[in-house]
Amino acid sequence: MIDAAPEALAEAVTTRGDEGRGRWSKVWAAPLWAHALALAVVLLSLLPLISGRGLFSADEGALAAQVRHLHDQGTWVVPHPFPEVDPSGEAFPYDLSQPTDDGGAPFVKHTVYPMLAAPLFGLGGIEALRLLSLLGAVAAALSGAGVAGFVRPGLGRATLWVVGLGSPLVFDSYLLIAHTLGAAAVTAALLVGLRTVAGQRARWALLVPVLMLLAGLLRNEAILYGLAMAAAFGAHAMRRRDRRALVVAVGAGVGAVGAKFVDGLLTQAVVAAARPIGVPAGSSDGVVGLIGGRVDALLTTVLAPSYGGRPLAALLVLLVGGLLAAAAVVVRRPVVDVGLVRVLVVAAAMCATLRLLVAPIGL
């Protein structure tokens, strides 16, 4: 009996372990909508830690001022608080606003978003706009899970959590300037495009230009995304003689170009109604300005996240690390030498770590 005790204990521990794994497997096997709901709960639980009376950027401050004024007064122009000391309007408090005879329009570069946000502001103030961003992050993660599940079945749940909690969207969830909403729209457009090409719900292809138009009216990056999507599906259409892919490509391109055109018309309409002085806001934001702005943002993000450090040294380290990572991918394709792949990957990771040492980030 004494000898049998260790075996019984081992059997009991094994049984409990199997039961625990079984419970987690059942939880993990829950449908995607349940995982999306759980992600929303997690993001909501972080809201009290991140939220508050402060805002992160000047763009958020301008948007908040614009939305508040639209809701309270129904107009775009915020009066100058002290015009006597600033007759030219150059020192209007809200940065990058459109100066007018009576004050300034703080946020007119994407006029659709303030108009959509004003009713929400009336319901719950700034926190209602944060909740909108949070819902956008959940929608983006859910759409991303759909794309991943389309590429390889079984990846959807893991992708949802990686996108929702392991990507920059976790920070964008609490910002006010539509990052997550734009991400959700373009990812949904990609998912619809993939399903259309696969022959699933081909009628939904009509949603591609609508989603891309909405995304482009919210974020400039979505316009470039739409053009890239049009090029990718267009290349597939020519290579495979696929009419469905051609429909998706045209829809993405029309939505992206249409967003730039419609957004420009709306901005000019608001600016004209506000009796502008000086150069109209966004007048130099053509295609060249749009691409240049994204390139500047990329360099700032990768090389100088805090607008400091030594960008040239960081660029050199990142270049070497990128070449090593690319070499690892090339070597991996024929599966020749796994040991060499490991060496290259570790070396690339060391370069990524070294980048923090040669150009430290000042938080």
Side-chain angles (χ1 to χ4, degrees), residues 219-232:
R219 298 292 307 178
N220 284 333
E221 298 89 343
I223 298 173
L224 297 179
Y225 188 102
L227 295 176
M229 186 172 163

Side-chain angles (χ1 to χ4, degrees), residues 150 191-202 233 236 242 244-245 248:
F150 181 88
L191 179 59
V192 171
L194 291 172
R195 288 186 172 178
T196 299
V197 172
Q200 305 172 9
R201 301 176 182 178
F233 278 89
H236 180 82
D242 191 333
R244 293 190 182 95
V248 173

Side-chain angles (χ1 to χ4, degrees), residues 246-262:
L246 181 60
V247 171
V248 173
V250 172
V254 168
V257 175
K260 184 66 176 173
F261 179 73
V262 172

Side-chain angles (χ1 to χ4, degrees), residues 63-333:
L63 174 70
Q66 190 70 83
V67 169
R68 181 182 289 110
H69 196 73
L70 272 176
H71 176 265
D72 294 342
Q73 305 297 329
T75 62
W76 287 87
V77 178
V78 177
H80 199 302
F82 203 170
E84 292 81 4
V85 299
D86 182 31
S88 66
E90 295 178 358
F92 188 72
Y94 296 107
D95 190 27
L96 302 179
S97 61
Q98 169 60 54
T100 69
D101 291 338
D102 302 322
F107 196 92
V108 294
K109 60 181 179 179
H110 290 296
T111 53
V112 167
Y113 186 49
M115 289 189 287
L116 294 176
L120 282 177
F121 181 83
L123 294 175
I126 294 298
E127 295 309 312
L129 303 186
R130 293 193 199 279
L131 289 177
L132 181 61
S133 291
L134 192 148
L135 290 176
V138 175
L142 192 58
S143 298
V147 172
F150 181 88
V151 174
R152 180 178 295 179
L155 286 182
R157 295 174 180 84
T159 301
L160 183 141
W161 287 102
V162 169
V163 172
L165 289 181
S167 77
L169 280 182
V170 71
F171 302 103
D172 295 333
S173 301
Y174 309 99
L175 300 181
L176 305 182
I177 45 180
H179 290 82
T180 61
L181 300 177
V186 296
T187 310
L190 175 60
L191 179 59
V192 171
L194 291 172
R195 288 186 172 178
T196 299
V197 172
Q200 305 172 9
R201 301 176 182 178
R203 297 178 183 176
W204 286 29
L206 296 175
L207 288 175
V208 172
V210 176
L211 289 168
M212 290 309 311
L213 177 66
L214 174 61
L217 290 174
L218 297 175
R219 298 292 307 178
N220 284 333
E221 298 89 343
I223 298 173
L224 297 179
Y225 188 102
L227 295 176
M229 186 172 163
F233 278 89
H236 180 82
M238 290 188 294
R239 183 178 181 182
R240 300 292 179 88
R241 308 291 182 183
D242 191 333
R243 294 182 179 178
R244 293 190 182 95
L246 181 60
V247 171
V248 173
V250 172
V254 168
V257 175
K260 184 66 176 173
F261 179 73
V262 172
D263 193 44
L265 288 180
L266 291 173
T267 299
Q268 291 302 320
V270 169
V271 169
R275 298 190 304 278
I277 58 176
V279 180
S283 62
S284 62
D285 191 19
V287 176
V288 176
L290 175 62
I291 297 176
R294 304 287 73 76
V295 171
D296 288 342
L298 173 63
L299 294 177
T300 300
T301 301
V302 174
L303 300 181
S306 61
Y307 298 96
R310 289 174 285 178
L312 290 180
L315 178 61
L316 179 61
V317 173
L318 286 176
L319 180 61
V320 174
L323 290 175
L324 288 168
V329 173
V330 173
V331 171
R332 177 67 179 86
R333 282 182 178 176

